[in-house]
PDB file of all heavy atoms in Angstrom:
ATOM      1  N   THR A  28      -3.559  19.391  15.724  1.00  0.00           N
ATOM      2  CA  THR A  28      -2.626  18.322  15.351  1.00  0.00           C
ATOM      3  C   THR A  28      -1.424  18.869  14.582  1.00  0.00           C
ATOM      4  O   THR A  28      -0.723  18.121  13.893  1.00  0.00           O
ATOM      5  CB  THR A  28      -3.349  17.262  14.507  1.00  0.00           C
ATOM      6  OG1 THR A  28      -3.980  17.899  13.382  1.00  0.00           O
ATOM      7  CG2 THR A  28      -4.405  16.530  15.318  1.00  0.00           C
ATOM      8  N   ALA A  29      -1.173  20.158  14.718  1.00  0.00           N
ATOM      9  CA  ALA A  29      -0.058  20.787  13.998  1.00  0.00           C
ATOM     10  C   ALA A  29       1.276  20.145  14.342  1.00  0.00           C
ATOM     11  O   ALA A  29       2.161  20.028  13.487  1.00  0.00           O
ATOM     12  CB  ALA A  29      -0.021  22.283  14.300  1.00  0.00           C
ATOM     13  N   SER A  30       1.436  19.699  15.592  1.00  0.00           N
ATOM     14  CA  SER A  30       2.713  19.112  16.010  1.00  0.00           C
ATOM     15  C   SER A  30       3.025  17.841  15.225  1.00  0.00           C
ATOM     16  O   SER A  30       4.196  17.543  14.942  1.00  0.00           O
ATOM     17  CB  SER A  30       2.692  18.804  17.510  1.00  0.00           C
ATOM     18  OG  SER A  30       1.672  17.874  17.818  1.00  0.00           O
ATOM     19  N   ILE A  31       1.990  17.070  14.863  1.00  0.00           N
ATOM     20  CA  ILE A  31       2.206  15.857  14.057  1.00  0.00           C
ATOM     21  C   ILE A  31       2.686  16.233  12.668  1.00  0.00           C
ATOM     22  O   ILE A  31       3.620  15.631  12.125  1.00  0.00           O
ATOM     23  CB  ILE A  31       0.906  15.027  13.980  1.00  0.00           C
ATOM     24  CG1 ILE A  31       0.554  14.459  15.356  1.00  0.00           C
ATOM     25  CG2 ILE A  31       1.041  13.904  12.954  1.00  0.00           C
ATOM     26  CD1 ILE A  31      -0.766  13.711  15.401  1.00  0.00           C
ATOM     27  N   ARG A  32       2.078  17.252  12.081  1.00  0.00           N
ATOM     28  CA  ARG A  32       2.464  17.666  10.728  1.00  0.00           C
ATOM     29  C   ARG A  32       3.848  18.287  10.703  1.00  0.00           C
ATOM     30  O   ARG A  32       4.580  18.142   9.709  1.00  0.00           O
ATOM     31  CB  ARG A  32       1.444  18.666  10.169  1.00  0.00           C
ATOM     32  CG  ARG A  32       0.049  18.090   9.954  1.00  0.00           C
ATOM     33  CD  ARG A  32      -0.828  19.033   9.147  1.00  0.00           C
ATOM     34  NE  ARG A  32      -1.019  20.320   9.801  1.00  0.00           N
ATOM     35  CZ  ARG A  32      -1.947  20.568  10.727  1.00  0.00           C
ATOM     36  NH1 ARG A  32      -2.756  19.591  11.120  1.00  0.00           N
ATOM     37  NH2 ARG A  32      -2.079  21.765  11.260  1.00  0.00           N
ATOM     38  N   GLU A  33       4.236  18.955  11.769  1.00  0.00           N
ATOM     39  CA  GLU A  33       5.478  19.728  11.754  1.00  0.00           C
ATOM     40  C   GLU A  33       6.687  18.953  12.268  1.00  0.00           C
ATOM     41  O   GLU A  33       7.826  19.354  12.029  1.00  0.00           O
ATOM     42  CB  GLU A  33       5.292  21.004  12.595  1.00  0.00           C
ATOM     43  CG  GLU A  33       4.271  21.968  11.982  1.00  0.00           C
ATOM     44  CD  GLU A  33       3.850  23.064  12.952  1.00  0.00           C
ATOM     45  OE1 GLU A  33       4.377  23.078  14.091  1.00  0.00           O
ATOM     46  OE2 GLU A  33       2.985  23.877  12.585  1.00  0.00           O
ATOM     47  N   SER A  34       6.462  17.833  12.963  1.00  0.00           N
ATOM     48  CA  SER A  34       7.584  17.080  13.515  1.00  0.00           C
ATOM     49  C   SER A  34       8.114  16.059  12.511  1.00  0.00           C
ATOM     50  O   SER A  34       7.482  15.764  11.496  1.00  0.00           O
ATOM     51  CB  SER A  34       7.168  16.382  14.815  1.00  0.00           C
ATOM     52  OG  SER A  34       6.056  15.525  14.594  1.00  0.00           O
ATOM     53  N   THR A  35       9.294  15.508  12.816  1.00  0.00           N
ATOM     54  CA  THR A  35       9.959  14.551  11.935  1.00  0.00           C
ATOM     55  C   THR A  35       9.729  13.133  12.430  1.00  0.00           C
ATOM     56  O   THR A  35      10.091  12.794  13.552  1.00  0.00           O
ATOM     57  CB  THR A  35      11.470  14.839  11.876  1.00  0.00           C
ATOM     58  OG1 THR A  35      11.668  16.175  11.406  1.00  0.00           O
ATOM     59  CG2 THR A  35      12.167  13.862  10.940  1.00  0.00           C
ATOM     60  N   TRP A  36       9.146  12.315  11.591  1.00  0.00           N
ATOM     61  CA  TRP A  36       8.904  10.905  11.905  1.00  0.00           C
ATOM     62  C   TRP A  36       8.613  10.163  10.610  1.00  0.00           C
ATOM     63  O   TRP A  36       8.325  10.768   9.582  1.00  0.00           O
ATOM     64  CB  TRP A  36       7.721  10.737  12.878  1.00  0.00           C
ATOM     65  CG  TRP A  36       6.476  11.459  12.460  1.00  0.00           C
ATOM     66  CD1 TRP A  36       6.107  12.743  12.785  1.00  0.00           C
ATOM     67  CD2 TRP A  36       5.447  10.977  11.571  1.00  0.00           C
ATOM     68  NE1 TRP A  36       4.922  13.081  12.175  1.00  0.00           N
ATOM     69  CE2 TRP A  36       4.481  12.014  11.428  1.00  0.00           C
ATOM     70  CE3 TRP A  36       5.230   9.769  10.911  1.00  0.00           C
ATOM     71  CZ2 TRP A  36       3.345  11.875  10.637  1.00  0.00           C
ATOM     72  CZ3 TRP A  36       4.089   9.626  10.117  1.00  0.00           C
ATOM     73  CH2 TRP A  36       3.162  10.672  10.001  1.00  0.00           C
ATOM     74  N   ARG A  37       8.690   8.847  10.651  1.00  0.00           N
ATOM     75  CA  ARG A  37       8.412   8.019   9.486  1.00  0.00           C
ATOM     76  C   ARG A  37       7.604   6.798   9.904  1.00  0.00           C
ATOM     77  O   ARG A  37       7.625   6.394  11.064  1.00  0.00           O
ATOM     78  CB  ARG A  37       9.714   7.579   8.800  1.00  0.00           C
ATOM     79  CG  ARG A  37      10.456   8.755   8.146  1.00  0.00           C
ATOM     80  CD  ARG A  37      11.841   8.348   7.679  1.00  0.00           C
ATOM     81  NE  ARG A  37      11.823   7.462   6.531  1.00  0.00           N
ATOM     82  CZ  ARG A  37      11.744   7.864   5.267  1.00  0.00           C
ATOM     83  NH1 ARG A  37      11.648   9.162   4.994  1.00  0.00           N
ATOM     84  NH2 ARG A  37      11.765   7.005   4.264  1.00  0.00           N
ATOM     85  N   ILE A  38       6.891   6.234   8.931  1.00  0.00           N
ATOM     86  CA  ILE A  38       6.089   5.041   9.219  1.00  0.00           C
ATOM     87  C   ILE A  38       6.999   3.837   9.434  1.00  0.00           C
ATOM     88  O   ILE A  38       8.199   3.898   9.192  1.00  0.00           O
ATOM     89  CB  ILE A  38       5.093   4.746   8.079  1.00  0.00           C
ATOM     90  CG1 ILE A  38       5.852   4.413   6.774  1.00  0.00           C
ATOM     91  CG2 ILE A  38       4.143   5.920   7.883  1.00  0.00           C
ATOM     92  CD1 ILE A  38       4.986   3.790   5.699  1.00  0.00           C
ATOM     93  N   GLY A  39       6.402   2.705   9.884  1.00  0.00           N
ATOM     94  CA  GLY A  39       7.158   1.495  10.146  1.00  0.00           C
ATOM     95  C   GLY A  39       7.630   0.800   8.876  1.00  0.00           C
ATOM     96  O   GLY A  39       7.427   1.277   7.755  1.00  0.00           O
ATOM     97  N   ALA A  40       8.237  -0.357   9.063  1.00  0.00           N
ATOM     98  CA  ALA A  40       8.831  -1.096   7.958  1.00  0.00           C
ATOM     99  C   ALA A  40       7.763  -1.616   6.992  1.00  0.00           C
ATOM    100  O   ALA A  40       6.640  -1.927   7.391  1.00  0.00           O
ATOM    101  CB  ALA A  40       9.651  -2.266   8.497  1.00  0.00           C
ATOM    102  N   ILE A  41       8.152  -1.711   5.719  1.00  0.00           N
ATOM    103  CA  ILE A  41       7.277  -2.235   4.672  1.00  0.00           C
ATOM    104  C   ILE A  41       7.745  -3.636   4.301  1.00  0.00           C
ATOM    105  O   ILE A  41       8.934  -3.853   4.061  1.00  0.00           O
ATOM    106  CB  ILE A  41       7.298  -1.310   3.437  1.00  0.00           C
ATOM    107  CG1 ILE A  41       6.754   0.079   3.811  1.00  0.00           C
ATOM    108  CG2 ILE A  41       6.489  -1.903   2.292  1.00  0.00           C
ATOM    109  CD1 ILE A  41       6.835   1.102   2.693  1.00  0.00           C
ATOM    110  N   PRO A  42       6.839  -4.621   4.259  1.00  0.00           N
ATOM    111  CA  PRO A  42       7.236  -5.999   3.928  1.00  0.00           C
ATOM    112  C   PRO A  42       7.873  -6.098   2.544  1.00  0.00           C
ATOM    113  O   PRO A  42       7.563  -5.311   1.642  1.00  0.00           O
ATOM    114  CB  PRO A  42       5.910  -6.769   3.975  1.00  0.00           C
ATOM    115  CG  PRO A  42       4.994  -5.933   4.801  1.00  0.00           C
ATOM    116  CD  PRO A  42       5.405  -4.514   4.562  1.00  0.00           C
ATOM    117  N   ASP A  43       8.734  -7.082   2.368  1.00  0.00           N
ATOM    118  CA  ASP A  43       9.461  -7.243   1.108  1.00  0.00           C
ATOM    119  C   ASP A  43       8.529  -7.381  -0.084  1.00  0.00           C
ATOM    120  O   ASP A  43       8.802  -6.827  -1.163  1.00  0.00           O
ATOM    121  CB  ASP A  43      10.385  -8.475   1.180  1.00  0.00           C
ATOM    122  CG  ASP A  43      11.573  -8.252   2.107  1.00  0.00           C
ATOM    123  OD1 ASP A  43      11.839  -7.077   2.456  1.00  0.00           O
ATOM    124  OD2 ASP A  43      12.226  -9.243   2.479  1.00  0.00           O
ATOM    125  N   ASP A  44       7.429  -8.129   0.072  1.00  0.00           N
ATOM    126  CA  ASP A  44       6.567  -8.366  -1.088  1.00  0.00           C
ATOM    127  C   ASP A  44       5.654  -7.195  -1.402  1.00  0.00           C
ATOM    128  O   ASP A  44       4.859  -7.264  -2.351  1.00  0.00           O
ATOM    129  CB  ASP A  44       5.765  -9.664  -0.932  1.00  0.00           C
ATOM    130  CG  ASP A  44       4.805  -9.645   0.241  1.00  0.00           C
ATOM    131  OD1 ASP A  44       5.001  -8.813   1.161  1.00  0.00           O
ATOM    132  OD2 ASP A  44       3.882 -10.471   0.274  1.00  0.00           O
ATOM    133  N   LEU A  45       5.763  -6.107  -0.638  1.00  0.00           N
ATOM    134  CA  LEU A  45       5.019  -4.886  -0.950  1.00  0.00           C
ATOM    135  C   LEU A  45       5.945  -3.738  -1.358  1.00  0.00           C
ATOM    136  O   LEU A  45       5.497  -2.604  -1.510  1.00  0.00           O
ATOM    137  CB  LEU A  45       4.168  -4.449   0.242  1.00  0.00           C
ATOM    138  CG  LEU A  45       2.891  -5.243   0.499  1.00  0.00           C
ATOM    139  CD1 LEU A  45       2.142  -4.666   1.707  1.00  0.00           C
ATOM    140  CD2 LEU A  45       1.970  -5.247  -0.719  1.00  0.00           C
ATOM    141  N   LEU A  46       7.222  -4.043  -1.565  1.00  0.00           N
ATOM    142  CA  LEU A  46       8.174  -2.980  -1.888  1.00  0.00           C
ATOM    143  C   LEU A  46       8.055  -2.511  -3.334  1.00  0.00           C
ATOM    144  O   LEU A  46       8.503  -1.419  -3.673  1.00  0.00           O
ATOM    145  CB  LEU A  46       9.608  -3.454  -1.616  1.00  0.00           C
ATOM    146  CG  LEU A  46       9.982  -3.578  -0.141  1.00  0.00           C
ATOM    147  CD1 LEU A  46      11.376  -4.172   0.013  1.00  0.00           C
ATOM    148  CD2 LEU A  46       9.904  -2.224   0.572  1.00  0.00           C
ATOM    149  N   ASP A  47       7.472  -3.314  -4.209  1.00  0.00           N
ATOM    150  CA  ASP A  47       7.278  -2.926  -5.604  1.00  0.00           C
ATOM    151  C   ASP A  47       5.786  -3.010  -5.924  1.00  0.00           C
ATOM    152  O   ASP A  47       5.214  -4.096  -6.011  1.00  0.00           O
ATOM    153  CB  ASP A  47       8.066  -3.852  -6.521  1.00  0.00           C
ATOM    154  CG  ASP A  47       8.015  -3.399  -7.981  1.00  0.00           C
ATOM    155  OD1 ASP A  47       7.228  -2.482  -8.307  1.00  0.00           O
ATOM    156  OD2 ASP A  47       8.771  -3.962  -8.798  1.00  0.00           O
ATOM    157  N   ARG A  48       5.168  -1.843  -6.095  1.00  0.00           N
ATOM    158  CA  ARG A  48       3.726  -1.796  -6.375  1.00  0.00           C
ATOM    159  C   ARG A  48       3.460  -0.941  -7.613  1.00  0.00           C
ATOM    160  O   ARG A  48       2.437  -0.270  -7.714  1.00  0.00           O
ATOM    161  CB  ARG A  48       2.971  -1.238  -5.165  1.00  0.00           C
ATOM    162  CG  ARG A  48       3.123  -2.128  -3.926  1.00  0.00           C
ATOM    163  CD  ARG A  48       2.452  -1.523  -2.720  1.00  0.00           C
ATOM    164  NE  ARG A  48       1.014  -1.455  -2.895  1.00  0.00           N
ATOM    165  CZ  ARG A  48       0.187  -0.936  -1.979  1.00  0.00           C
ATOM    166  NH1 ARG A  48       0.682  -0.459  -0.845  1.00  0.00           N
ATOM    167  NH2 ARG A  48      -1.104  -0.900  -2.186  1.00  0.00           N
ATOM    168  N   ARG A  49       4.376  -1.038  -8.588  1.00  0.00           N
ATOM    169  CA  ARG A  49       4.268  -0.128  -9.731  1.00  0.00           C
ATOM    170  C   ARG A  49       3.059  -0.418 -10.619  1.00  0.00           C
ATOM    171  O   ARG A  49       2.551   0.494 -11.258  1.00  0.00           O
ATOM    172  CB  ARG A  49       5.561  -0.166 -10.537  1.00  0.00           C
ATOM    173  CG  ARG A  49       6.700   0.598  -9.881  1.00  0.00           C
ATOM    174  CD  ARG A  49       7.988   0.417 -10.641  1.00  0.00           C
ATOM    175  NE  ARG A  49       8.498  -0.950 -10.530  1.00  0.00           N
ATOM    176  CZ  ARG A  49       9.620  -1.355 -11.095  1.00  0.00           C
ATOM    177  NH1 ARG A  49      10.339  -0.511 -11.802  1.00  0.00           N
ATOM    178  NH2 ARG A  49      10.018  -2.601 -10.945  1.00  0.00           N
ATOM    179  N   VAL A  50       2.634  -1.662 -10.693  1.00  0.00           N
ATOM    180  CA  VAL A  50       1.441  -1.986 -11.475  1.00  0.00           C
ATOM    181  C   VAL A  50       0.482  -2.761 -10.578  1.00  0.00           C
ATOM    182  O   VAL A  50       0.806  -3.844 -10.098  1.00  0.00           O
ATOM    183  CB  VAL A  50       1.773  -2.822 -12.726  1.00  0.00           C
ATOM    184  CG1 VAL A  50       0.507  -3.052 -13.549  1.00  0.00           C
ATOM    185  CG2 VAL A  50       2.827  -2.123 -13.567  1.00  0.00           C
ATOM    186  N   GLU A  51      -0.677  -2.169 -10.365  1.00  0.00           N
ATOM    187  CA  GLU A  51      -1.657  -2.738  -9.443  1.00  0.00           C
ATOM    188  C   GLU A  51      -3.013  -2.703 -10.131  1.00  0.00           C
ATOM    189  O   GLU A  51      -3.371  -1.703 -10.758  1.00  0.00           O
ATOM    190  CB  GLU A  51      -1.682  -1.883  -8.169  1.00  0.00           C
ATOM    191  CG  GLU A  51      -2.223  -2.573  -6.948  1.00  0.00           C
ATOM    192  CD  GLU A  51      -1.900  -1.781  -5.673  1.00  0.00           C
ATOM    193  OE1 GLU A  51      -0.750  -1.852  -5.202  1.00  0.00           O
ATOM    194  OE2 GLU A  51      -2.773  -1.081  -5.160  1.00  0.00           O
ATOM    195  N   ILE A  52      -3.773  -3.800 -10.040  1.00  0.00           N
ATOM    196  CA  ILE A  52      -5.097  -3.840 -10.636  1.00  0.00           C
ATOM    197  C   ILE A  52      -6.123  -4.253  -9.593  1.00  0.00           C
ATOM    198  O   ILE A  52      -5.770  -4.731  -8.511  1.00  0.00           O
ATOM    199  CB  ILE A  52      -5.159  -4.790 -11.853  1.00  0.00           C
ATOM    200  CG1 ILE A  52      -4.735  -6.206 -11.458  1.00  0.00           C
ATOM    201  CG2 ILE A  52      -4.309  -4.258 -12.994  1.00  0.00           C
ATOM    202  CD1 ILE A  52      -4.860  -7.215 -12.591  1.00  0.00           C
ATOM    203  N   THR A  53      -7.391  -4.061  -9.924  1.00  0.00           N
ATOM    204  CA  THR A  53      -8.437  -4.339  -8.940  1.00  0.00           C
ATOM    205  C   THR A  53      -9.685  -4.877  -9.627  1.00  0.00           C
ATOM    206  O   THR A  53      -9.884  -4.713 -10.826  1.00  0.00           O
ATOM    207  CB  THR A  53      -8.801  -3.069  -8.151  1.00  0.00           C
ATOM    208  OG1 THR A  53      -9.793  -3.391  -7.169  1.00  0.00           O
ATOM    209  CG2 THR A  53      -9.362  -1.986  -9.064  1.00  0.00           C
ATOM    210  N   GLY A  54     -10.509  -5.530  -8.842  1.00  0.00           N
ATOM    211  CA  GLY A  54     -11.783  -6.050  -9.320  1.00  0.00           C
ATOM    212  C   GLY A  54     -12.452  -6.821  -8.199  1.00  0.00           C
ATOM    213  O   GLY A  54     -11.867  -7.034  -7.131  1.00  0.00           O
ATOM    214  N   PRO A  55     -13.700  -7.237  -8.417  1.00  0.00           N
ATOM    215  CA  PRO A  55     -14.422  -7.969  -7.371  1.00  0.00           C
ATOM    216  C   PRO A  55     -13.838  -9.371  -7.165  1.00  0.00           C
ATOM    217  O   PRO A  55     -13.197  -9.919  -8.063  1.00  0.00           O
ATOM    218  CB  PRO A  55     -15.849  -8.042  -7.933  1.00  0.00           C
ATOM    219  CG  PRO A  55     -15.666  -7.958  -9.423  1.00  0.00           C
ATOM    220  CD  PRO A  55     -14.496  -7.052  -9.635  1.00  0.00           C
ATOM    221  N   PRO A  56     -14.063  -9.972  -6.009  1.00  0.00           N
ATOM    222  CA  PRO A  56     -13.503 -11.300  -5.709  1.00  0.00           C
ATOM    223  C   PRO A  56     -14.318 -12.427  -6.338  1.00  0.00           C
ATOM    224  O   PRO A  56     -14.841 -13.307  -5.654  1.00  0.00           O
ATOM    225  CB  PRO A  56     -13.543 -11.356  -4.175  1.00  0.00           C
ATOM    226  CG  PRO A  56     -14.716 -10.505  -3.807  1.00  0.00           C
ATOM    227  CD  PRO A  56     -14.746  -9.399  -4.829  1.00  0.00           C
ATOM    228  N   GLU A  57     -14.438 -12.385  -7.670  1.00  0.00           N
ATOM    229  CA  GLU A  57     -15.128 -13.430  -8.407  1.00  0.00           C
ATOM    230  C   GLU A  57     -14.107 -14.417  -8.960  1.00  0.00           C
ATOM    231  O   GLU A  57     -13.020 -14.032  -9.394  1.00  0.00           O
ATOM    232  CB  GLU A  57     -15.962 -12.806  -9.532  1.00  0.00           C
ATOM    233  CG  GLU A  57     -17.075 -11.897  -8.998  1.00  0.00           C
ATOM    234  CD  GLU A  57     -17.770 -11.098 -10.077  1.00  0.00           C
ATOM    235  OE1 GLU A  57     -17.278 -11.116 -11.237  1.00  0.00           O
ATOM    236  OE2 GLU A  57     -18.774 -10.435  -9.774  1.00  0.00           O
ATOM    237  N   ARG A  58     -14.467 -15.683  -8.965  1.00  0.00           N
ATOM    238  CA  ARG A  58     -13.513 -16.773  -9.171  1.00  0.00           C
ATOM    239  C   ARG A  58     -12.637 -16.606 -10.421  1.00  0.00           C
ATOM    240  O   ARG A  58     -11.408 -16.601 -10.333  1.00  0.00           O
ATOM    241  CB  ARG A  58     -14.292 -18.082  -9.220  1.00  0.00           C
ATOM    242  CG  ARG A  58     -13.484 -19.348  -9.178  1.00  0.00           C
ATOM    243  CD  ARG A  58     -14.383 -20.527  -8.865  1.00  0.00           C
ATOM    244  NE  ARG A  58     -14.817 -20.481  -7.476  1.00  0.00           N
ATOM    245  CZ  ARG A  58     -14.221 -21.142  -6.489  1.00  0.00           C
ATOM    246  NH1 ARG A  58     -13.170 -21.895  -6.747  1.00  0.00           N
ATOM    247  NH2 ARG A  58     -14.655 -21.052  -5.254  1.00  0.00           N
ATOM    248  N   LYS A  59     -13.241 -16.466 -11.591  1.00  0.00           N
ATOM    249  CA  LYS A  59     -12.464 -16.347 -12.827  1.00  0.00           C
ATOM    250  C   LYS A  59     -11.612 -15.087 -12.826  1.00  0.00           C
ATOM    251  O   LYS A  59     -10.437 -15.106 -13.225  1.00  0.00           O
ATOM    252  CB  LYS A  59     -13.401 -16.356 -14.035  1.00  0.00           C
ATOM    253  CG  LYS A  59     -12.681 -16.226 -15.371  1.00  0.00           C
ATOM    254  CD  LYS A  59     -13.687 -16.176 -16.512  1.00  0.00           C
ATOM    255  CE  LYS A  59     -12.995 -15.885 -17.832  1.00  0.00           C
ATOM    256  NZ  LYS A  59     -13.958 -15.788 -18.963  1.00  0.00           N
ATOM    257  N   MET A  60     -12.188 -13.980 -12.353  1.00  0.00           N
ATOM    258  CA  MET A  60     -11.452 -12.721 -12.344  1.00  0.00           C
ATOM    259  C   MET A  60     -10.245 -12.774 -11.411  1.00  0.00           C
ATOM    260  O   MET A  60      -9.161 -12.279 -11.745  1.00  0.00           O
ATOM    261  CB  MET A  60     -12.364 -11.567 -11.936  1.00  0.00           C
ATOM    262  CG  MET A  60     -11.640 -10.229 -11.847  1.00  0.00           C
ATOM    263  SD  MET A  60     -12.746  -8.842 -11.624  1.00  0.00           S
ATOM    264  CE  MET A  60     -13.439  -8.701 -13.267  1.00  0.00           C
ATOM    265  N   VAL A  61     -10.411 -13.367 -10.245  1.00  0.00           N
ATOM    266  CA  VAL A  61      -9.301 -13.458  -9.291  1.00  0.00           C
ATOM    267  C   VAL A  61      -8.148 -14.266  -9.890  1.00  0.00           C
ATOM    268  O   VAL A  61      -6.980 -13.891  -9.764  1.00  0.00           O
ATOM    269  CB  VAL A  61      -9.778 -14.073  -7.961  1.00  0.00           C
ATOM    270  CG1 VAL A  61      -8.591 -14.395  -7.062  1.00  0.00           C
ATOM    271  CG2 VAL A  61     -10.730 -13.118  -7.247  1.00  0.00           C
ATOM    272  N   ILE A  62      -8.463 -15.368 -10.568  1.00  0.00           N
ATOM    273  CA  ILE A  62      -7.413 -16.187 -11.194  1.00  0.00           C
ATOM    274  C   ILE A  62      -6.689 -15.381 -12.267  1.00  0.00           C
ATOM    275  O   ILE A  62      -5.448 -15.307 -12.284  1.00  0.00           O
ATOM    276  CB  ILE A  62      -8.010 -17.473 -11.796  1.00  0.00           C
ATOM    277  CG1 ILE A  62      -8.574 -18.370 -10.691  1.00  0.00           C
ATOM    278  CG2 ILE A  62      -6.945 -18.240 -12.590  1.00  0.00           C
ATOM    279  CD1 ILE A  62      -9.348 -19.573 -11.201  1.00  0.00           C
TER     280      ILE A  62
END
C-alpha cells in the first residue's frame, strides 16, 4: 500500500458542526449524564 502513503490526496468535506472539536468529552449513554 506504499502508493497510498506516497501519493497526494485528501479526505472529503467536513460538516460545519464538526469543524470545531477543541473540547470533547465522553461517557456512557445514561440519562442524567447525557443531559
Side-chain angles (χ1 to χ4, degrees):
T28 54
S30 61
I31 293 176
R32 295 192 299 275
E33 294 167 1
S34 57
T35 301
W36 51 270
R37 292 170 71 85
I38 64 166
I41 297 175
D43 289 345
D44 63 340
L45 284 181
L46 288 175
D47 186 350
R48 297 176 66 181
R49 284 174 291 181
V50 184
E51 202 166 282
I52 57 176
T53 182
E57 296 171 351
R58 191 165 289 264
K59 180 183 173 182
M60 177 171 286
V61 170
I62 295 172

